[in-house]
Amino acid sequence: MVAKATDIVGLYLEPPENAIVLCVDEQSQIQALDRTAPTLPMQIGIPERQTHDYARNGTTTLFAALEVATGQVTGICRPRHRHQEFLVFLKHVASPDQQLHLVMDNYATHKKREVRDRLANNPRITVHFTPTSASWTNLVEVWLGIIEQQAIHRGTFRNVRDLTAKIRAFINAWNPRAQPFVWTKTPEQILKKTTRKTTSKTDH
């Protein structure tokens, strides 16, 4: 926990020169839900209303990479969530002539032999894994929460094509006005919060 948290926070607070830092993750099983009735807009004294009844029209997986320096996002949607799709995404975001630092969690897809071999054979890429059970240290998680709330959760999608089109439109609108997320906590402050103090001296 200590070493990984210090490593990742160091990337955020003092990013390396002449290199790109990308926070990478995926959101799988995003459902294309078609509501049985239109969403009723918010009115004075009345909140927005949305039916709980819906039809499921398929799923997609969003692979996303947040550039720490700019806040801009690269994303692609794929029907499945396997290491093969993840390798395609890595090829999509990797710069052929610049050092790249990838922040990612410990999900099994990221540690498949084929993925490890691809990364090991590319000396320009350095991987930084988040601490176990601390994927919240990956800044792209913040952005995934934003797109979930603003574009996906409230949407109505007749099919997966509608869903992926909505995701692409959100990313295209996000990037021109993107601002970097500012990390403010030092590793010491994070570790102090995550270290629980013993409150009982009872022997068991």
Side-chain angles (χ1 to χ4, degrees):
M1 173 69 180
V2 176
K4 289 183 177 180
T6 302
D7 179 38
I8 290 175
V9 173
L11 280 178
Y12 297 158
L13 298 181
E14 297 182 13
E17 295 184 1
N18 302 317
I20 297 174
V21 180
L22 294 179
C23 295
V24 175
D25 203 5
E26 52 278 299
Q27 187 169 343
S28 62
Q29 296 294 307
I30 304 175
Q31 297 189 67
L33 301 181
D34 189 5
R35 305 286 173 177
T36 57
T39 298
L40 300 178
M42 180 175 59
Q43 301 179 24
I44 297 177
I46 303 175
E48 179 184 86
R49 290 163 290 171
Q50 190 178 59
T51 177
H52 294 288
D53 300 326
Y54 53 80
R56 293 187 176 93
N57 295 318
T59 63
T60 191
T61 292
L62 169 61
F63 294 85
L66 172 80
E67 185 174 352
V68 171
T70 65
Q72 294 187 338
V73 172
T74 300
I76 61 174
C77 290
R78 289 292 182 267
R80 301 182 69 178
H81 181 206
R82 304 170 302 169
H83 73 274
Q84 292 94 327
E85 286 77 19
F86 185 62
L87 285 172
V88 170
F89 181 61
L90 288 180
K91 184 177 180 180
H92 182 70
V93 300
S95 174
D97 55 359
Q98 196 164 16
Q99 293 292 321
L100 180 64
H101 292 260
L102 297 178
V103 176
M104 61 180 71
D105 62 26
N106 296 275
Y107 189 70
T109 299
H110 303 159
K111 293 191 170 184
K112 273 279 193 176
R113 179 178 56 81
E114 293 86 349
V115 175
R116 295 199 312 267
D117 290 347
R118 174 73 64 84
L119 294 172
N121 290 330
N122 192 331
R124 291 189 301 273
I125 297 179
T126 304
V127 177
H128 307 261
F129 287 108
T130 60
T132 303
S133 302
S135 60
W136 48 268
T137 57
N138 190 340
L139 282 176
V140 76
E141 295 285 350
V142 179
W143 184 84
L144 288 173
I146 292 173
I147 190 175
E148 166 67 26
Q149 289 298 318
Q150 296 186 8
I152 299 173
H153 179 71
R154 301 168 64 188
T156 297
F157 310 105
R158 293 170 296 176
N159 48 55
V160 173
R161 184 181 301 174
D162 286 351
L163 173 59
T164 57
K166 181 70 173 181
I167 292 172
R168 285 195 300 269
F170 185 88
I171 294 173
N172 291 339
W174 172 276
N175 283 336
R177 57 183 175 83
Q179 297 291 330
F181 295 122
V182 179
W183 188 277
T184 59
K185 296 293 185 181
T186 65
E188 292 76 18
Q189 290 172 314
I190 295 173
L191 294 171
K192 185 177 180 180
K193 288 274 189 181
T194 57
T195 302
R196 296 182 179 181
K197 295 181 179 180
T198 302
T199 58
S200 174
K201 296 183 180 180
T202 303
D203 294 329
H204 296 281

